Amino acid sequence: MIRKYTYGKPFQTEAVVLQQKTESGALPYFQEIKEDGTLTLTYEMDPKDVVYGLGENVRGINKRGWIYESRCMDDPVHVETCHSLYASHNFFVLSGKETFGVFVDYAGIISFDIGYTHLNQLSMTPQESDMDIYIIEGESVLDIVRQFRELVGMSYIPPKWAFGYQQCRWSYMDEDEIREVVKNHRENHIPLDSVYLDIDYMERYKDFSINEETFPKFPEFVQEMKDQHVRLVPIIDAGVKIEEGYDTYEEGVKNNYFCKNADGTDFVAGVWPGRVHFPDMLNPKARDWFGKSYKFLLDQGIEGFWNDMNEPALFYSEENLNNVFAKLGDYQGRNLDNDIYNEFLGMIHGLPNNRDDYKLFFHNVNGKMVRHDKVHNLFGYNMTRAAGEAFEELEPDKRILMFSRSSYVGMHRYGGIWMGDNKAWWAHLLMNLKMQPSLNMMGILYTGADIGGFGDDTTEDLVMRWTQFALFSPLMRNHAAMGTRYQEAYSFDNTDTFRKIIEIRYALVPYIYSEYMKAAIKNDMYFKPLSFVYPEDEHAAQVEDQLMVGESLMCAPVYTQNATGRYVYLPEDMLMIKAKGTEDYICEKMTKGHHYVEVALDEMLLFVRPGHILPLVKPADSVEQLDTDNVKVIGYKNQAASYEMYDDNGFTRNYDLDKNITTIKVSADGDVEVEGAKTLKVTTELY
Ligand code: GLC
């Protein structure tokens, strides 16, 4: 059951697609406290209550014990004490003595204090009390999540090739460098489905431009890559370069499509190209225009994009930069003691992503000027929506890959996200795991972190362990920052090990794709915390380093350097697969409970649930080259089980569960029956 409560006059975020009537009574569960005009809603938690959700954030799957703030931020140092990352996902489920879900539909800044100020108190404080709050009750946490997902609409579905392995690096400078990356993968038979174009493909960082010196024959190059089953995926940034004669800039100025200063002039900030304007993503006309601009690249054969810097990130605002320059001279020749030195540094460090700068510019929302800070969290969402809505018109029969850095609830209908500028830290591998189910709760199913870590120099073992976990992520992309150690799968000594790990991903693609499609169409989660599947099991709620992956599998990655094994908790008897590769694995039946399992660096663990089977295919160099008609299923002897495999052409938008499901049934005697869409050849391996 969903009930909606309205405070003040909320800005319509359009996160919700199933409109609800506003209730007249008081908000249940919470106490309202008003102090100095600020509203705080508090709930007394039971010490055993668990809080799930809030999407992209630091810390645990259980969010208790910290204060989180929804304020989309470009902060590349994701430490435990961050309050905000790039996204705002104001939905959580409290599970325990009382169980209910809360979605605060609010475009401004809001904090969720979950046992930070008071260990057993949860409180929510919006900057202004204009918001819709949805309270959701249901039979279980998962049921509440499903209702929420119905409320906010179906998740985005990428093309099937986007379930392959993808390679990115900020600083692939030209065609030849990319050819080399592809060649190295192909020669080593490391599967690969796409290579990303970071900002270096553009002419002086201008959106919808191509550097003709480094990419002289772009459409031909796109095709050359496609002939090798590799898609190129260019980045699009939020800021549009200010430059006379540049179409996108001139069209934006002429039509008033950019965000404005209070005096009606176009707001100026600095990002990669230097001075830029921000397209007014909240103005439907500007959004339509910006979205249609992707046509420039679609027309050249591009089939996927990533939207970046859309919090929006700013290196500086022109206004603040001028103020800083004006003051700099005052410091020259002075004795910079501790206090003055810090003041001086603070001025410089206060330039990027300055909170006050977000108060300087305005959006035109149906003729009304709305100050940016009041709707800050909607910018990235609407940039991706701009693209998504345009793709529906420009490419009605084709899925286009799209994911974004910043987001708000509702963006999951138009694209996925990647988790931004993580670092080559072991802690970030574990954080990547913990974020997955919270993001799935929001409907963001197409997601993954930069494998190996984006910032800082990585190590071979970190990339290996990370790849072993990330092969379960729908978005499986290795990405690194300019200036860091190269970390492509062929860059280290043990290329064979990397090939074998990535081949496991390709063997699993039919399973991952099936589970993704079923989750998207049925408003389900692809990655789940153990406790969502085993709600009665008290130990399961404690597990923060294993996840359920679709209906048949549990994963338990190694995320500690030099570890040669790990503890694993099995909520029921399971079949353990310890794999070095698709031809090199052992299976062992294990009993419910705690186990210590040896896992060498080149090995990884998968667990198959009883009553379930795992379908696998032979790996290939790319998703398109997979033979999905010949399937091997791993399962249990003397146990009947069945699996619904979803398959389709992978690129059109008619996702029909009934038409595209093939059911594989294995009887207790081990006999196989196949029914439905496809005729499959199935072999079994039963234990
Ligand atoms: C941002 C992105 C990162 C990208 C870089 C250069 O930091 O998060 O992925 O490589 O910009 O475009």
Side-chain angles (χ1 to χ4, degrees), residues 2-277:
I2 305 182
R3 280 173 293 165
K4 174 183 172 184
Y5 299 84
T6 299
Y7 288 78
K9 286 205 179 94
F11 183 88
Q12 293 309 300
T13 66
E14 293 170 23
V16 162
V17 295
L18 276 188
Q19 298 312 323
Q20 309 287 311
K21 266 198 347 269
T22 295
E23 303 284 329
S24 48
L27 183 76
Y29 300 109
F30 290 86
Q31 250 201 333
E32 293 183 13
I33 302 167
K34 248 199 166 146
E35 255 170 40
D36 306 326
T38 303
L39 173 72
T40 297
L41 299 163
T42 65
Y43 176 80
E44 294 309 316
M45 295 187 287
D46 183 78
K48 282 192 167 166
D49 286 350
V50 179
V51 179
Y52 299 102
L54 295 184
E56 188 181 52
N57 260 304
V58 296
R59 303 214 174 208
I61 291 176
N62 181 354
K63 303 272 28 122
R64 279 186 79 142
W66 190 236
I67 181 164
Y68 307 89
E69 193 180 49
S70 284
R71 178 196 293 273
C72 297
M73 270 292 286
D74 168 27
D75 179 352
V77 190
H78 309 167
V79 287
E80 200 167 285
T81 43
C82 282
H83 299 291
S84 319
L85 295 175
Y86 308 90
S88 292
H89 299 140
N90 303 338
F91 169 60
F92 65 87
V93 180
L94 187 136
S95 162
K97 213 163 177 187
E98 295 178 294
T99 296
F100 56 92
V102 179
F103 170 43
V104 185
D105 192 6
Y106 176 58
I109 317 302
I110 175 168
S111 71
F112 296 90
D113 180 339
I114 309 182
Y116 168 75
T117 308
H118 304 289
L119 214 49
N120 290 319
Q121 193 183 70
L122 184 155
S123 65
M124 314 190 283
T125 312
Q127 219 161 53
E128 280 160 334
S129 35
D130 294 306
M131 60 192 165
D132 286 320
I133 301 187
Y134 296 83
I135 299 288
I136 310 175
E137 287 159 336
E139 284 163 16
S140 63
V141 177
L142 199 52
D143 176 43
I144 292 170
V145 173
R146 288 195 184 119
Q147 291 185 55
F148 168 70
R149 297 275 299 285
E150 263 173 56
L151 184 71
V152 296
M154 195 178 114
S155 297
Y156 161 79
I157 293 179
K160 206 206 254 178
W161 58 263
F163 289 84
Y165 179 62
Q166 318 194 49
Q167 183 60 50
C168 187
R169 179 177 178 85
W170 173 13
S171 73
Y172 291 149
M173 298 309 289
D174 55 29
E175 285 184 358
D176 278 344
E177 202 168 342
I178 289 168
R179 281 193 185 99
E180 195 60 28
V181 172
V182 173
K183 189 170 139 241
N184 283 330
H185 282 88
R186 289 287 177 255
E187 279 182 2
N188 288 297
H189 286 288
I190 301 168
L192 179 74
D193 266 84
S194 74
V195 177
Y196 282 67
L197 302 177
D198 207 317
I199 48 174
D200 315 293
Y201 81 91
M202 296 184 241
E203 188 211 327
R204 306 180 68 75
Y205 310 123
K206 283 176 344 207
D207 278 340
F208 316 116
S209 79
I210 285 157
N211 184 331
E212 287 175 6
E213 270 171 37
T214 46
F215 293 85
K217 290 189 174 157
F218 193 67
E220 286 85 348
F221 182 55
V222 173
Q223 189 55 47
E224 178 191 324
M225 292 293 115
K226 257 191 235 179
D227 292 343
Q228 300 178 62
H229 306 282
V230 172
R231 259 82 177 182
L232 296 178
V233 183
I235 196 168
I236 303 291
D237 283 300
V240 169
K241 183 168 199 267
I242 300 179
E243 186 183 283
E244 298 297 323
Y246 161 42
D247 292 357
T248 311
Y249 161 75
E250 295 206 334
E251 287 166 21
V253 170
K254 192 176 85 203
N255 296 302
N256 284 314
Y257 287 156
F258 293 129
C259 291
K260 299 282 183 192
N261 292 307
D263 66 3
T265 54
D266 291 330
F267 171 73
V268 180
V271 202
W272 307 116
R275 290 196 188 90
V276 300
H277 292 319

Side-chain angles (χ1 to χ4, degrees), residues 393-596:
E393 272 185 61
L394 299 171
E395 296 280 6
D397 297 326
K398 197 168 166 189
R399 301 179 211 170
I400 303 294
L401 172 63
M402 164 53 70
F403 58 90
S404 170
R405 192 168 74 176
S406 185
S407 65
Y408 179 83
V409 169
M411 204 206 76
H412 68 289
R413 301 194 293 269
Y414 308 99
I417 67 158
W418 90 100
M419 294 158 186
D421 297 346
N422 62 4
K423 298 222 186 264
W425 297 347
W426 289 84
H428 279 185
L429 162 51
L430 183 59
M431 189 168 81
N432 175 188
L433 178 148
K434 291 180 184 185
M435 257 187 216
Q436 286 287 15
S438 318
L439 284 166
N440 273 215
M441 285 174 72
M442 308 303 128
I444 302 174
L445 301 181
Y446 192 75
T447 173
D450 292 348
I451 298 171
F454 172 77
D456 295 344
D457 289 334
T458 197
T459 58
E460 179 168 3
D461 54 347
L462 178 57
V463 186
M464 237 176 232
R465 289 302 195 194
W466 208 320
T467 312
Q468 289 164 350
F469 167 64
L471 68 82
F472 296 105
S473 297
L475 166 59
M476 185 188 182
R477 185 181 76 151
N478 178 321
H479 179 35
M482 183 169 59
T484 60
R485 180 180 186 182
Y486 279 79
Q487 61 185 44
E488 292 77 2
Y490 52 78
S491 315
F492 304 102
D493 293 339
N494 296 287
T495 307
D496 274 358
T497 308
F498 281 101
R499 176 175 44 76
K500 286 175 157 185
I501 299 170
I502 297 168
E503 279 180 350
I504 296 176
R505 160 63 167 225
Y506 279 70
L508 282 168
V509 161
Y511 174 76
I512 291 172
Y513 188 61
S514 296
E515 293 306 309
Y516 185 96
M517 296 301 283
K518 288 186 278 182
I521 295 168
K522 296 181 184 168
N523 293 319
D524 201 345
M525 293 166 67
Y526 168 87
F527 277 121
K528 295 185 186 91
L530 271 52
S531 57
F532 283 29
V533 179
Y534 306 95
E536 307 302 333
D537 182 333
E538 280 197 15
H539 292 287
Q542 297 290 313
V543 178
E544 293 254 348
D545 60 358
Q546 302 169 207
L547 293 176
M548 305 309 296
V549 188
E551 65 160 64
S552 304
L553 281 183
M554 181 179 81
C555 71
V558 175
Y559 52 86
T560 317
Q561 189 158 33
N562 302 321
T564 52
R566 58 161 288 169
Y567 287 94
V568 179
Y569 176 66
L570 304 192
E572 59 183 327
D573 294 355
M574 286 185 180
L575 180 68
M576 178 178 79
I577 308 177
K578 194 191 277 191
K580 283 186 202 281
T582 54
E583 304 286 331
D584 192 358
Y585 58 89
I586 53 159
C587 294
E588 190 185 326
K589 277 159 97 177
M590 291 180 71
T591 51
K592 173 180 160 69
H594 295 277
H595 298 267
Y596 182 80

